[in-house]
Amino acid sequence: MKYPNGQEYKPNSKKERQPHKSKAEVSLSSANRGMDFEHEINLSNDYYRDNDICLITKRPTPINIVKVDYSKGAKITHAYFEEQSTTDYNGVYKSRYIDFEAKNTKNKTSFPLSNITKHQIEHLKKVLYHGGIAFFIINFESLGQVFLLDASYVINFYEQKERKSIPYSCFVESGIEIEQGYNPRVDYIKAIDKKYF
């Protein structure tokens, strides 16, 4: 086979280039990474509940539904958040109230504080004030490590504003690495036992 200019067609043996992703697609894939980690925590919570270890649930985000399309079932076509959500998870373990936020990062050297909102900090401060157990679970995806870090530690870092991130070394020194496995996927209860009980 020849091209119109007379040159012969030669198939390219090199790997095909991937199409360039738009900013929206990159943003969506980042969100999906967080959702995958959240899904692993949800599966862990199911395991804990089914084995009567604790009762921790995902807090639903409050939304106000404006428009629904009923032509193909009931599909929400327009909605908005009623208020800012607080943290991802809450529940009870060994008669203590538990409240935590789960975050995912691809960063290998630190966790960006920009991933945490002011209202989450305020909420966790209130949990601590009332005697609850509050913490963050941070997944360093690129390193394959997950850490539990007490909320008071993160709150101090956030409010001092000396840095824009928490160094990885702080997680190693002040946090507790969470075991990962098949069931539960993210065994954070062992880390809670080690830190708080």
Side-chain angles (χ1 to χ4, degrees):
M1 176 197 284
K2 291 188 177 183
Y3 287 108
N5 66 3
Q7 288 184 337
E8 229 177 275
Y9 168 74
K10 293 181 185 175
N12 190 351
S13 61
K14 290 182 182 175
K15 193 176 177 181
E16 281 186 37
R17 290 183 66 191
Q18 295 293 327
H20 180 71
K21 288 186 177 180
S22 70
K23 285 183 183 179
E25 289 172 318
V26 170
S27 174
L28 184 59
S29 67
S30 297
N32 287 343
R33 279 197 308 271
M35 293 303 284
D36 290 343
F37 180 54
E38 233 177 56
H39 180 67
E40 289 184 355
I41 292 176
N42 293 341
L43 290 174
S44 301
N45 289 341
D46 291 345
Y47 173 84
Y48 293 144
R49 182 198 61 229
D50 294 345
N51 290 279
D52 289 324
I53 295 167
C54 67
L55 181 61
I56 308 288
T57 56
K58 173 94 172 82
R59 183 180 274 126
T61 304
I63 61 166
N64 192 343
I65 299 169
V66 178
K67 191 175 180 183
V68 179
D69 178 7
Y70 292 101
S71 64
K72 297 175 184 171
K75 181 180 177 183
I76 298 170
T77 57
H78 186 84
Y80 63 88
F81 296 114
E82 286 182 351
E83 58 189 57
Q84 292 178 317
S85 64
T86 50
T87 51
D88 290 331
Y89 297 93
N90 67 339
V92 180
Y93 176 58
K94 292 185 177 178
S95 302
R96 295 285 304 275
Y97 176 73
I98 305 284
D99 201 304
F100 68 93
E101 178 70 14
K103 298 288 187 184
N104 192 65
T105 182
K106 278 194 100 64
N107 198 316
K108 294 180 181 180
T109 58
S110 64
F111 173 73
L113 289 170
S114 59
N115 289 352
I116 302 169
T117 61
K118 179 79 173 155
H119 69 273
Q120 288 172 331
I121 293 293
E122 293 305 319
H123 172 76
L124 290 170
K125 281 168 76 173
K126 287 180 182 178
V127 170
L128 292 173
Y129 175 80
H130 290 287
I133 294 173
F135 54 88
F136 284 81
I137 293 180
I138 308 296
N139 177 27
F140 283 88
E141 185 181 336
S142 300
L143 301 174
Q145 290 180 291
V146 179
F147 291 92
L148 179 149
L149 193 60
D150 187 71
S152 61
Y153 192 88
V154 179
I155 291 165
N156 287 339
F157 242 95
Y158 187 90
E159 292 182 337
Q160 287 175 2
K161 299 185 189 299
E162 291 176 8
R163 292 180 53 108
K164 292 184 177 181
S165 63
I166 302 173
Y168 168 78
S169 59
C170 291
F171 288 89
V172 174
E173 292 163 14
S174 303
I176 296 174
E177 188 169 357
I178 296 173
E179 290 179 22
Q180 299 174 73
Y182 175 69
N183 216 359
R185 301 280 180 94
V186 183
D187 197 3
Y188 65 86
I189 287 296
K190 283 184 183 174
I192 290 174
D193 281 337
K194 194 171 181 182
K195 177 73 179 171
Y196 302 104
F197 290 99

